[in-house]
Amino acid sequence: MLQTVWVSSPGSWALQESDRHRQGKKRSWKCRFVRTIIQHPCRRHAPKRSRKARMLRKIQICLCFCFVSGILYEISLLSSCVFSYLPVAQHYLTPEQVLNLGKSIIFLETTERLEPPPLVSCSVESAARIYRDRPIILFMRGLTNETALDLNTSYAAFSLLSSMKNVFIFPLQMETVFQETPLLQWYNQVVPEQEKNWVHVSSDASRLALIWKYGGIYMDTDVISIRPIPQESFLAAQKSRFSSNGIFGFPARHKFVWDCMENFVLKYNGNIWGNQGPFLMTRMLKTLCNLTDFQGTEDHSCQNISFLNPQRFYPIPYPAWSRYYQVWDKSPSFNHSYALHLWNFMNRNRKVVVAGSNTLAEKLYKTYCPTTYEDLIQNAKPRDLPDPEDA
């Protein structure tokens, strides 16, 4: 089982055990009472039977109404508790329980860092706001039971993210994630210290295994959500005839994802960046589809897989990535986009959002992750700010 570590603010996951027992007793008493009235009507005073029957029927209706109302109320409590937190550790949901709810939005942090930078926080927050009825899960490689205890007090981003009812933060345990997949044997044989691109390769593998097992949408931690993605089975075109793996979605146990995992192992070459990532997705898609150039904002479809137009996630292509950190005379509307990929891998100068800079990225933060903007940008320490020329 995946290890459970929860970073949360006080709340309640579900009804307390004693409350459930008390409610259960009330329901049991009501049921017995209703059954007694129905099965054993009073036989005395036969002449008044019709009046008595009417009275009993009214009582029965009232009791049934109260009983059904109680059940519906408890169901509503339980459903709302899917996205809230228990103060008692043994009542925390496990990763499997959350993932098995289906349609999760999954983020991965495969470095050992424990403080999510503002862009990661913005990505998670924006998804939590756009997909309010879906679990948003951040898996972190560096997170363990030992490190979880001080997270709320040590790291501002954890306090921010854990205040969102549908955000879940779990440790990333790769050996467990790869169980029952073709990736387990590869993982047991590979030597991470000898891998040139281990952070990226391990992320490429983990996202495939998680989506295959549980379904949902995977997003990179530099993707800002701006509107819901309507498709369930999709790949994102980075450009014509070339697929990204920075965002994709499939239902659980989809054959395409399984085939990708098999090809991951068969064609593994950790020395080539992207060989197990976007190049993998592209070569597997080409085995199914005759890829053609996109025209306008149309999407392509093949074998029940939607190949979404580059405008959906990459309206600013990677050669122009720095435009997110520039001031625009007129900001683009992104009317044809579901989310925006900010190309953090290209951001080697570590440009960041600075309050008052009026850059496109700052405007996106204000609109789609306002809590991150307020807590992590406006209150940033001077040493965290970039050089003036970077701003």
Side-chain angles (χ1 to χ4, degrees), residues 74-90:
E74 290 187 11
I75 290 175
S76 68
L77 286 178
L78 290 172
S79 62
S80 65
C81 288
V82 170
F83 299 141
S84 55
Y85 302 92
L86 255 187
V88 184
Q90 62 265 31

Side-chain angles (χ1 to χ4, degrees), residues 332-351:
S333 63
F334 300 117
N335 288 334
H336 301 293
S337 301
Y338 302 135
L340 303 174
H341 193 287
L342 268 61
W343 303 106
N344 194 54
F345 178 71
M346 303 293 294
N347 189 2
R348 294 180 177 86
N349 291 329
R350 294 294 170 242
K351 294 182 183 292

Side-chain angles (χ1 to χ4, degrees), residues 137-210:
I137 306 174
L138 173 60
F139 284 101
M140 301 189 71
R141 178 66 176 167
L143 190 61
T144 66
N145 276 323
E146 289 70 28
T147 58
L149 298 177
D150 298 325
L151 288 178
N152 274 335
T153 56
S154 302
Y155 302 110
F158 277 100
S159 178
L160 183 157
L161 295 176
S162 63
S163 67
M164 302 174 191
K165 291 185 177 182
N166 60 332
V167 173
F168 304 80
I169 304 174
F170 292 125
L172 176 61
Q173 297 179 324
M174 293 184 188
E175 186 171 359
T176 303
V177 169
F178 296 145
Q179 293 291 333
E180 302 178 2
T181 76
L183 298 169
L184 182 61
Q185 183 178 359
W186 160 81
Y187 180 73
N188 289 334
Q189 294 175 350
V190 73
V191 181
E193 294 77 15
Q194 298 177 2
E195 292 291 322
K196 179 181 177 181
N197 299 298
W198 177 246
V199 169
H200 302 287
V201 168
S202 60
S203 178
D204 293 335
S206 298
R207 68 189 71 176
L208 287 171
L210 286 166

Side-chain angles (χ1 to χ4, degrees), residues 117-130:
L119 183 52
V120 174
S121 178
C122 183
S123 297
V124 176
E125 179 188 346
S126 65
R129 292 178 179 275
I130 295 298

